[in-house]
């Protein structure tokens, strides 16, 4: 029962690492990921598959990517809210 309540509060629950990396790559591109994380898995001939291999074996790197994903999601939400406020002000 305790695990269920813990997972309910986990914003990454239900998201695979593949989904996280794919969405970040689509949003930032490979160079953007290099700029944000400075990880070699995004610098030298990057692919989703090779990045996943590295991230699954390297806990600190996986944690950094998960934190970047959460930050990015918060930024996207903030930007959408700001756009709505700006649009409302124009109307």
């Amino acid at each position: 029962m305790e695990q269920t309540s813990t997972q309910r509060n986990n914003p990454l629950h239900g998201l695979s690492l593949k989904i996280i990396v794919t969405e970040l790559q689509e949003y930032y591109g490979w160079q953007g990921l290099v700029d944000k994380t400075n990880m070699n898995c995004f610098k030298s001939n990057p692919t989703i598959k090779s990045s996943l291999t590295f991230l699954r074996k390297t806990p600190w790197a996986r944690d950094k990517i998960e934190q970047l994903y959460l930050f990015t999601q918060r930024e996207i939400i903030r930007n959408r809210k700001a756009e709505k406020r700006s649009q409302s002000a124009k109307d």
Side-chain angles (χ1 to χ4, degrees):
M1 189 69 146
E2 185 176 324
Q3 184 181 11
T4 303
S5 64
T6 302
Q7 291 303 322
R8 196 175 308 136
N9 295 324
N10 180 354
L12 297 173
H13 180 68
L15 290 175
S16 68
L17 186 58
K18 184 175 183 177
I19 291 171
I20 291 170
V21 172
T22 301
E23 288 187 13
L24 287 173
Q25 192 280 325
E26 289 172 355
Y27 188 77
Y28 290 111
W30 293 117
Q31 186 57 49
L33 286 172
V34 170
D35 295 342
K36 292 280 186 187
T37 66
N38 196 29
M39 289 186 202
N40 286 334
C41 68
F42 302 130
K43 288 181 185 178
S44 177
N45 196 21
T47 65
I48 297 293
K49 184 178 178 182
S50 65
S51 299
L52 290 172
T53 300
F54 172 74
L55 294 169
R56 287 181 178 131
K57 293 179 181 179
T58 317
W60 67 263
R62 181 181 182 138
D63 184 55
K64 193 170 185 176
I65 290 301
E66 289 173 346
Q67 294 307 311
L68 176 61
Y69 180 80
L70 293 173
F71 171 81
T72 302
Q73 294 303 309
R74 287 189 301 268
E75 286 297 304
I76 290 169
I77 290 168
R78 280 188 207 117
N79 290 339
R80 285 183 186 154
K81 287 181 181 179
E83 286 174 11
K84 285 182 182 179
R85 282 192 298 267
S86 175
Q87 190 63 30
S88 294
K90 290 179 183 177
D91 292 342

